[in-house]
Amino acid sequence: AGAAAAGGAVSALYVSPVELVMIQQQRFGGSIQKTLGRLHRDFGLYGFARGYLATGLRDSVYVIGMLSATPFLEKEVKQLGFGSATGSVVGSLTAGVVAGTLSCPFDCIKACMKGDIEQKKYGSFTETGRSLYRAGGFG
């Protein structure tokens, strides 16, 4: 599970700034080049790290679910007497649903933070989580 978590955190090093650019493009339009330039000009290189913790946690939880829980669940289903294909399908689907559900709050925090890079409504990871929870949860 530790290696899976590390894999999720490492993948977020690439995914997090890419998602920041994507979300900023959705909000304000513009080409990738113009969006990159605006973000760098207005927020510096550190701005590209906005929401990294939430992205890293989301990806870590999901990768743990898929790489750790899936084989475990496959084995359990096979021990109940089902075939290998059934074990793979049930294990993968169950792990995917659970991992997706557990990672969803982190994804919500990430999207809010990246959409509000100016921090007008959402501040830190913890502040964003509290604000979303008070507003009705993460659904």
Side-chain angles (χ1 to χ4, degrees):
V10 168
S11 74
L13 291 171
Y14 169 76
V15 171
S16 185
V18 169
E19 288 183 348
L20 173 72
V21 172
M22 177 189 69
I23 290 170
Q24 289 293 305
Q25 282 185 293
Q26 290 170 344
R27 286 197 64 214
F28 300 108
S31 67
I32 292 174
Q33 185 177 5
K34 286 184 181 182
T35 302
L36 286 167
R38 179 180 59 81
L39 291 171
H40 185 263
R41 181 187 68 241
D42 294 348
F43 305 101
L45 285 176
Y46 186 72
F48 290 95
R50 176 99 170 127
Y52 170 78
L53 177 60
T55 307
L57 288 170
R58 177 204 61 190
D59 291 356
S60 292
V61 167
Y62 196 78
V63 172
I64 288 170
M66 295 312 293
L67 294 183
S68 297
T70 298
F72 171 78
L73 292 170
E74 286 177 1
K75 180 180 168 190
E76 294 298 314
V77 170
K78 289 177 192 174
Q79 287 180 351
L80 292 173
F82 293 95
S84 180
T86 302
S88 292
V89 169
V90 171
S92 297
L93 289 174
T94 303
V97 168
V98 172
T101 301
L102 294 175
S103 67
C104 190
F106 299 120
D107 190 55
C108 188
I109 292 169
K110 179 258 335 171
C112 290
M113 291 180 72
K114 290 180 183 300
D116 182 28
I117 192 169
E118 302 87 1
Q119 299 187 40
K120 292 179 181 175
K121 184 173 181 179
Y122 300 108
S124 70
F125 172 83
T126 304
E127 291 165 345
T128 302
R130 282 187 191 132
S131 177
L132 291 169
Y133 183 77
R134 287 182 188 130
F138 295 97

